[in-house]
Amino acid sequence: MAQTTSSVALFYTLVACLKVATVTAVKTDTLGQDIDYPPYAFQTADGELAGFGKDFADGMSAMCEDIDIKVVNDTSLDGCMTYTHGQGVRDTFADFTDAMLNDNKAAGLLTLLDSDGKPKVTGLSDLSGKTLIDVGGWAPTSDGLSIVTNKCTSEKYSPDYEVVVANGDIANDEAMQMLRDGEGDAIFIYADQGSGIRELLRPCMQSFMLTKEYYDICVKHDLAGVCYANEFFGDDATVGGKYDLPTNKQTGDCSDGYCPCPVTSDDSPPVAGAPLETDPIAPLETDPTSGSTTVLVGTSLLMTSSIMWLSASLM
């Protein structure tokens, strides 16, 4: 995959809360999590719920006398955990707690390479007349493109593009198939790939994030580089991969899956240069039937994680 980037603030929060709901006299909060989003939310081989979100919730319950959080993988719940909080449609349907990770999560436009090895949608494109594939039910949401700035041109994207939504049990796979079948020019995707409950949990969240236990679960899930540092953090910050670099900071010729800005136009060759030695090289995804290869170009969005109380229409 290959990536070009600009930035919009989006956040992983602990809980997002339905704006239409009201929570009063809560003694036990039942928070739901998914099981296929490691290291944030997953299931162990023994069938136990696990992940950074659950450890964070358990830590809050242990520390705060007025908080009792039960984590489930069910539909009977008060809120949902480890969802992405981003500018756009999600704020219309859900309320979010404060962020529990200081993570800037990049996203971009996944497109195909043509027969000359050049991306069909380059970093200079304003997306006018293009068809973009949105992965249904997942962030980033397509309305985020209206907020960000193209890093290659320093301009906003044209509003003159069409959005089609990929749905299904595994929406990412459906989106990829739609791209291969020519139903869209690019997929908008991750580069790596008020109910009262918010106010109830906020004091405990802020207190827990000052503890060694918060540091310990950050290290446990290899997230120390994107957690909010407290006095227990040392030199734990990690350097992100190529997927975190904006397009105008990328180098190379797209062969590592991440494209730099073209020199002058859509017909110009990519900027020459060697990949950064410290950055991991992402494998290329090749279609065995057509020989086409996907690369990531486009924008990047900054996203952080929270507990979230979310309406069914976004799940």
Side-chain angles (χ1 to χ4, degrees), residues 60 102 112 116 158 161 179 189 191 228 246 249 257 259 286 313:
M60 288 175 59
N102 187 25
L112 298 174
D116 295 324
S158 166
Y161 57 80
L179 180 66
I189 196 170
Y228 287 98
K249 300 295 184 182
C259 290
T286 302
S313 61

Side-chain angles (χ1 to χ4, degrees), residues 17-141:
C17 305
L18 286 177
K19 296 200 172 196
V20 297
T22 300
V23 177
T24 58
V26 176
K27 293 183 179 180
T28 298
D29 296 300
T30 302
L31 303 182
Q33 73 160 59
D34 215 329
I35 57 174
D36 59 355
Y37 193 27
Y40 310 103
F42 59 95
Q43 193 171 39
T44 67
D46 296 329
E48 298 294 326
L49 296 180
F52 181 84
K54 184 177 187 305
D55 286 346
F56 192 101
D58 289 346
M60 288 175 59
S61 292
M63 188 184 75
C64 301
E65 294 182 355
D66 59 340
I67 296 293
D68 181 20
I69 300 176
K70 178 183 179 182
V71 179
V72 300
N73 179 236
D74 199 348
T75 57
S76 298
L77 43 81
D78 299 310
C80 298
M81 298 196 305
T82 65
Y83 277 78
T84 302
H85 181 200
Q87 295 184 48
V89 68
R90 286 194 163 184
D91 269 334
T92 303
F93 294 95
D95 286 335
F96 293 79
T97 62
D98 298 335
M100 59 181 178
L101 288 176
N102 187 25
D103 185 15
N104 295 327
K105 194 170 180 65
L109 296 170
L110 185 70
T111 189
L112 298 174
L113 292 177
D114 62 21
S115 58
D116 295 324
K118 296 172 58 179
K120 292 184 177 181
V121 179
T122 76
L124 293 178
S125 175
D126 68 356
L127 304 182
S128 177
K130 302 296 184 183
T131 298
L132 303 182
I133 301 169
D134 181 32
V135 182
W138 292 86
T141 53

Side-chain angles (χ1 to χ4, degrees), residues 117-304:
K118 296 172 58 179
K120 292 184 177 181
V121 179
T122 76
L124 293 178
S125 175
D126 68 356
L127 304 182
S128 177
K130 302 296 184 183
T131 298
L132 303 182
I133 301 169
D134 181 32
V135 182
W138 292 86
T141 53
S142 59
D143 56 344
L145 281 170
S146 65
I147 304 170
V148 299
T149 298
N150 185 324
K151 286 292 187 180
C152 291
T153 64
S154 298
E155 297 178 354
K156 296 290 186 181
Y157 289 97
S158 166
D160 185 26
Y161 57 80
E162 179 184 359
V163 175
V164 294
V165 180
N167 294 305
D169 292 338
I170 307 179
N172 278 314
D173 289 353
E174 179 64 25
M176 181 62 72
Q177 190 60 54
M178 291 172 66
L179 180 66
R180 302 291 195 194
D181 292 343
E183 298 180 37
D185 300 294
I187 305 171
F188 191 37
I189 196 170
Y190 280 151
D192 56 356
Q193 200 16 313
S195 66
I197 195 172
R198 174 173 59 179
E199 287 69 27
L200 177 69
L201 296 180
R202 174 175 285 161
C204 186
M205 284 184 64
Q206 294 177 342
S207 297
F208 180 69
M209 291 167 68
L210 298 176
T211 66
K212 184 176 184 299
E213 286 72 18
Y214 174 70
Y215 167 75
D216 288 341
I217 65 171
C218 290
V219 173
K220 173 183 175 181
H221 295 284
D222 197 25
L223 293 171
V226 294
C227 283
Y228 287 98
N230 60 33
E231 64 178 308
F232 298 98
F233 285 72
D235 298 327
D236 294 292
T238 57
V239 178
K242 292 207 75 175
Y243 49 80
D244 280 329
L245 294 177
T247 308
N248 57 352
K249 300 295 184 182
Q250 296 285 347
T251 58
D253 58 1
C254 298
S255 61
D256 58 10
Y258 295 86
C259 290
C261 295
V263 176
T264 55
S265 71
D266 286 357
D267 296 323
S268 302
V271 177
L276 299 179
E277 294 180 359
T278 58
D279 290 330
I281 303 301
L284 297 178
E285 297 184 45
T286 302
D287 183 348
T289 60
S290 67
S292 60
T293 299
T294 59
V295 294
L296 196 67
V297 300
T299 74
S300 89
L301 302 178
L302 306 182
M303 314 193 175
T304 57

